[in-house]
Amino acid sequence: MKSKLPILLLIVGFCYTQYIMLDRISPNTRAVIWSDAEGYYKYLPGLFIIKDFHQLPAGSVWPYVNDKGEYVDKYSCGVAYFELPFFLVGHMINKMKGGEQAADYYNPNYSKAIAVGGVTATFLGMLFLFLALRRDFSEWISLWTLFSIFLGTNLFHYTTKEMGISHVYSFFLFSFLIFHLPRFLKDPGLRNSIFLGGTLGWLFLIRPTNAIVFLFLLGYQVYTIPELKFRIQFYLSNYKSLLWIALTAFLFLIPQFLYWKEMTGQWIYYSYTEETFKYWSQPKIAAVLFDVQNGLFLYSPLALLMMAGIVYGWIVKKYHAPVMLLIFAVATYAFASWWAWWFGGAFGHRCYVEYYALFALPLAGLYEKVWSSKSSVLRFGFLVLTIALMIYSVRLSYLYTSIGGPWDGPDWRWNWDKYKWILDNFF
C-alpha cells in the first residue's frame, strides 16, 4: 500500500512555498506582472476589463505595433489559460475592495493572485512528477528527487520570485506528459488521446520550442533501433488516436489564431518579427552551459548530476537515457542559436526549467544507485554534495534579487567586485 506521507509533505511544501513567495514579492508586487510576464498576462485584462484588444497599452513590454499603430502582443496566450482562474479570483477580490484600485489590473490583488497561480503550477507539476517517478522508484527516492530539483536549480527562483513568465507552467505540462504518456501507450483510446493532444497543444502554444519534448513520445523506453521501429509502428497502427491528438492540440491554438487575425489580418503571424535564431550556424553552446551570464551549470550545478544520471542510464539501458540525451542536445542547440542566447535578465538559464521534469528520471536513477551502495562514505559524501548544491542555488537566488538585478546587459559582466560581493554576503 502506498504511503500518504509523501503527498502530505508535498502539500506542506506547497503551503510553505506560498509563504516564501509572498515574502519575496511583497516589496514590489508589480514585478510579478512585468516584461515577459506582462506580455503573457495582457490577454486577460484585454478580454475581461478593457474588452478591446485594440486598446491594450504596451506597458512594460517592448511595443510591437501593427500597420494601424496598435500594440500587438508578441507573446502567446498559453500562459493566460492557466492564469485565468487565478485572475478571476483576483478580479473578484478587487471588485469587492473597490476604491482607487478598481481599474488598475496590475495592483496587488491581481499580482498576488497570479503569483499564487505560478506556485500552484509548480506544485501540480511536482505532484504529477512524483506519481510518475513512483512507478519506477521508491517513494523516498522520488520525493528526494523532487526536493533536490526544486531547491537545487533555478526552479526555486522561478517559483518564488518570477513565476509570471512561462517556465513553471511548462514545467507543470512536462510533468503531466511524463505521467500520462505511459497511460496512453497502454490504452491509446479517445480519452487518453484527448489528454495527450491537449497537453502537446498547450505546450506548443506556450513556447513553440517546447515541441522538442515531442521526441519523448518516440524515445520513451527506447534503447535500440528495433525498439524505435516498434514505437513508430505503434503510432502508425493507432492513426485514429493520432488524429484525435492533432485535433485536440489544434483546438488549443485557435484563440491565438483569432487574436493574430484580429490584430494583424493574418491567421499565422511571426510575432517576434526581427528576433531570430541568428546563431544557427555558430551556436553559443559553451556560453549557454558555462558562461557567467546565465550559464546553466554555473547557476544550477545540480544539472551536472542530471547529466551524470543520463550517462549512467545509457550504460545500464534505463531511464530513457538515449532520448534524454537527444532532447538535451537539441534544446541546447536551439537555445544557443537564439539571438539572445542568455535569454535576457534571468537567474540562470531559464529555458531549462521545464526540462528538469524530464531529467528527474535519470537523476532519480543516479540517486537510487548511490543510496544502494555499500559504502557509507560514498552515500554520506553524495548527500552532503547534494545539500550543498541546494543551499548554493537558493542563496544565489536571494543574492540575485539583492544586488540590484537583473544581471543583464552589455555592461554587466562578472568582475572581482561582484565576486567579492557574493563571497562577503553569501553566508
Side-chain angles (χ1 to χ4, degrees):
M1 182 177 178
K2 300 291 185 180
S3 171
K4 295 181 180 179
L5 183 58
I7 302 296
L8 178 61
L9 290 176
L10 281 176
I11 295 173
V12 172
F14 169 73
C15 296
Y16 186 62
T17 301
Q18 295 282 8
Y19 168 77
I20 294 173
M21 173 272 294
L22 290 172
D23 178 67
R24 295 196 75 182
I25 70 170
S26 60
N28 181 16
T29 56
R30 175 68 172 89
V32 172
I33 312 174
W34 185 262
S35 189
D36 290 19
E38 183 173 349
Y40 293 117
Y41 168 79
K42 278 181 178 294
Y43 292 95
L44 299 174
L47 183 63
F48 292 98
I49 298 176
I50 300 175
K51 300 180 181 179
D52 184 357
F53 289 118
H54 295 275
Q55 301 300 319
L56 268 179
S60 64
V61 181
W62 185 265
Y64 292 80
V65 297
N66 59 18
D67 55 6
K68 297 178 182 178
E70 300 167 336
Y71 168 76
V72 178
D73 198 339
K74 77 171 184 177
Y75 302 93
S76 69
C77 62
V79 170
Y81 288 176
F82 195 98
E83 291 178 337
L84 175 59
F86 301 93
F87 169 83
L88 292 177
V89 171
H91 190 49
M92 179 181 66
I93 293 172
N94 200 61
K95 280 188 173 182
M96 291 171 60
K97 290 186 175 181
E100 296 179 357
Q101 291 186 334
D104 177 13
Y105 45 85
Y106 299 111
N107 71 52
N109 298 322
Y110 292 101
S111 296
K112 289 180 181 179
I114 295 302
V116 169
V119 177
T120 302
T122 293
F123 274 84
L124 284 176
M126 300 280 269
L127 174 60
F128 283 113
L129 187 55
F130 172 76
L131 296 176
L133 289 169
R134 197 170 62 174
R135 295 187 183 116
D136 301 312
F137 304 99
S138 72
E139 291 184 332
W140 295 108
I141 288 289
S142 302
L143 197 63
W144 180 251
T145 301
L146 297 182
F147 187 66
S148 63
I149 288 176
F150 180 65
L151 295 178
T153 70
N154 50 349
L155 176 60
F156 172 81
H157 180 87
Y158 285 98
T159 300
T160 61
K161 185 62 178 178
E162 297 186 55
M163 68 296 292
I165 57 178
S166 67
H167 304 292
V168 294
Y169 306 102
S170 290
F171 176 82
F172 155 64
L173 291 170
F174 270 55
S175 298
F176 182 78
L177 178 64
I178 296 167
F179 166 78
H180 183 68
L181 182 58
R183 294 187 167 201
F184 171 80
L185 295 176
K186 184 178 180 180
D187 176 20
L190 177 60
R191 180 176 179 274
N192 286 334
S193 298
I194 289 175
F195 273 109
L196 183 57
T199 304
L200 296 176
W202 198 355
L203 274 170
F204 183 77
L205 177 60
I206 289 177
R207 291 178 74 86
T209 53
N210 282 342
I212 295 169
V213 79
F214 292 10
L215 294 170
F216 188 60
L217 277 64
L218 285 177
Y220 182 83
Q221 290 186 336
V222 168
Y223 304 96
T224 65
I225 296 299
E227 288 174 336
L228 177 59
K229 291 180 179 178
F230 175 81
R231 180 68 69 227
I232 293 173
Q233 183 59 41
F234 169 83
Y235 287 113
L236 293 177
S237 63
N238 289 282
Y239 65 90
K240 291 183 180 179
S241 297
L242 294 183
L243 292 175
W244 280 113
I245 290 172
L247 175 61
T248 309
F250 179 77
L251 291 176
F252 271 75
L253 305 179
I254 289 177
Q256 190 65 55
F257 294 150
L258 293 173
Y259 174 78
W260 283 336
K261 181 64 174 176
E262 176 66 21
M263 298 303 299
T264 71
Q266 302 175 43
W267 288 107
I268 298 178
Y269 174 70
Y270 184 68
S271 58
Y272 282 73
T273 61
E274 297 179 359
E275 298 179 64
T276 63
F277 293 91
K278 62 181 285 186
Y279 295 116
W280 197 257
S281 60
Q282 295 178 314
K284 309 296 183 181
I285 294 175
V288 165
L289 298 179
F290 300 105
D291 194 89
V292 293
Q293 191 158 331
N294 299 340
L296 170 66
F297 295 134
L298 179 61
Y299 291 87
S300 297
L302 189 87
L304 288 169
L305 297 185
M306 298 177 186
M307 299 303 105
I310 291 175
V311 172
Y312 173 64
W314 190 287
I315 294 172
V316 299
K317 293 186 177 181
K318 284 185 173 182
Y319 320 126
H320 324 286
V323 75
M324 293 294 175
L325 183 59
L326 177 61
I327 288 173
F328 178 75
V330 173
T332 300
Y333 186 88
F335 304 153
S337 300
W338 187 241
W339 73 273
W341 51 263
W342 63 97
F343 280 79
F347 176 70
H349 209 288
R350 58 187 176 88
C351 294
Y352 287 96
V353 168
E354 43 265 64
Y355 290 87
Y356 299 148
L358 288 172
F359 302 146
L361 300 170
L363 180 64
L366 180 67
Y367 286 162
E368 184 180 60
K369 175 64 176 178
V370 172
W371 300 149
S372 63
S373 170
K374 295 180 180 179
S375 172
S376 58
V377 174
L378 174 62
R379 295 196 304 271
F380 179 75
F382 194 81
L383 179 63
V384 170
L385 171 64
T386 307
I387 293 174
L389 293 179
M390 289 189 277
I391 293 172
Y392 169 86
S393 179
V394 170
R395 186 62 185 141
L396 206 59
S397 171
Y398 276 93
L399 292 178
Y400 172 80
T401 55
S402 301
I403 200 173
W407 303 353
D408 185 32
D411 298 326
W412 192 96
R413 297 295 292 175
W414 279 87
N415 55 38
W416 174 244
D417 289 340
K418 292 186 178 68
Y419 283 118
K420 187 175 184 301
W421 188 91
I422 292 293
L423 292 172
D424 288 344
N425 291 277
F426 191 85
F427 296 103

